[in-house]
Amino acid sequence: MINKRMAAAACGGIAALLVSTVAHASVFVDSANYVGSRATSGTSGSGGGLQWNPAAGLWSDGGFSISWQITQSGADYTYRYTLDTPLSGSAQLSHWLLELSPTDASGNSLENYWESVFVSNTQGNYSDVGIGPVAAGDVGPATGASNVGMPGALWGVKFTRDSSVTQTVVEFTTTQAPVWGDFYARDGGGTGAGTIYAYNLGFGTDPTAGATNFLNWIARPDGDSRLPEPNSLALLSLILIGWGSAALRARHQRRSN
């Protein structure tokens, strides 16, 4: 009877954790990947973890790259993103979008928080090179004609180039830990089929559980804990330990009888 009760409790705990894990699919970035980059490779429009429009080929074969560097200090994470594009007419960067999480672990909106980082700059120590001021409307869901070729909606922040530079940089600090996510970037002059753009190949999806190859995503700030939390893991450990102890006691009792 004890074994059955403990087994039921353990199975219930495991099931609850599995449901929680499936419901929150984003994968945290290991510290070994706190520095990384993605660059176009070849001329086909797909390579190096990126998808882009090869019709106007100035972004092909390494003509576009995005890199990141994340440093952790206690509960704070400082993110630094660098985009490199050609300085050639419309092939210059127009703007790029970084995915952010719209809610925290409790489902509360983070829109005001992200605006305080990027718009009012009242927290987060935001700085940039070659980027114009971020407006309130630049934080939130991004869709529409200005993002030609983007395969789906993206909730995040929009950074717009404001000077003729080949490299733009943004840097900010947040308590949100890095997970694998999406970005989108486009040129400043193309229209329709001639628009130059790039995004990660895994756009709109998350790495599968247990994945070891994250080439199709970039590191970006999370907004909630999407893996079993330490307290939940501790609870599961206690359940399994208790189950095992009860089973051992039951075996000893049967032998003694």
Side-chain angles (χ1 to χ4, degrees):
M1 183 64 69
I2 293 176
N3 284 352
K4 290 181 180 180
R5 285 200 297 267
M6 294 302 296
C11 289
I14 294 171
L17 286 173
L18 288 176
V19 168
S20 174
T21 302
V22 171
H24 302 293
S26 290
V27 176
F28 286 105
V29 177
D30 185 87
S31 59
N33 292 306
Y34 279 9
V35 176
S37 64
R38 304 288 182 262
T40 54
S41 177
T43 59
S44 68
S46 179
L50 302 181
Q51 183 76 42
W52 71 96
N53 182 7
L58 290 175
W59 279 20
S60 294
D61 204 21
F64 171 89
S65 68
I66 179 172
S67 62
W68 64 88
Q69 180 176 353
I70 303 168
T71 55
Q72 182 179 3
S73 177
D76 292 330
Y77 297 85
T78 297
Y79 294 78
R80 181 182 177 89
Y81 293 93
T82 303
L83 268 69
D84 288 285
T85 55
L87 183 60
S88 178
S90 64
Q92 296 181 64
L93 179 71
S94 165
H95 64 266
W96 73 282
L97 309 173
L98 173 65
E99 182 183 11
L100 302 171
S101 292
T103 59
D104 64 14
S106 301
N108 300 312
S109 174
L110 286 174
E111 186 167 357
N112 288 338
Y113 167 73
W114 292 123
E115 287 184 355
S116 73
V117 174
F118 299 111
V119 181
S120 63
N121 307 141
T122 55
Q123 57 183 318
N125 298 317
Y126 174 77
S127 63
D128 63 63
V129 176
I131 297 293
V134 179
D138 293 333
V139 175
T143 57
S146 65
N147 300 313
V148 177
M150 191 167 74
L154 181 150
W155 203 103
V157 56
K158 176 182 178 181
F159 301 110
T160 303
R161 180 183 59 81
D162 74 343
S163 59
S164 293
V165 294
T166 60
Q167 185 178 89
T168 58
V169 179
V170 297
E171 182 173 315
F172 57 92
T173 299
T174 175
T175 56
Q176 310 305 324
V179 295
W180 294 108
D182 300 333
F183 86 96
Y184 165 89
R186 62 156 293 173
D187 71 339
T191 58
T195 303
I196 305 173
Y197 57 80
Y199 56 87
N200 57 293
L201 273 170
F203 192 103
T205 68
D206 289 303
T208 57
T212 57
N213 186 342
F214 304 103
L215 180 64
N216 294 343
W217 297 269
I218 69 165
R220 61 92 174 174
D222 191 24
D224 61 83
S225 179
R226 299 183 180 231
L227 295 178
E229 297 174 358
N231 288 343
S232 298
L233 292 175
L235 176 61
L236 177 58
S237 298
L238 290 174
I239 290 172
L240 293 176
I241 291 170
W243 186 15
S245 298
L248 285 173
R249 286 196 299 272
R251 281 201 297 270
H252 287 311
Q253 288 173 356
R254 285 196 300 270
R255 289 174 181 174
S256 62
N257 294 331

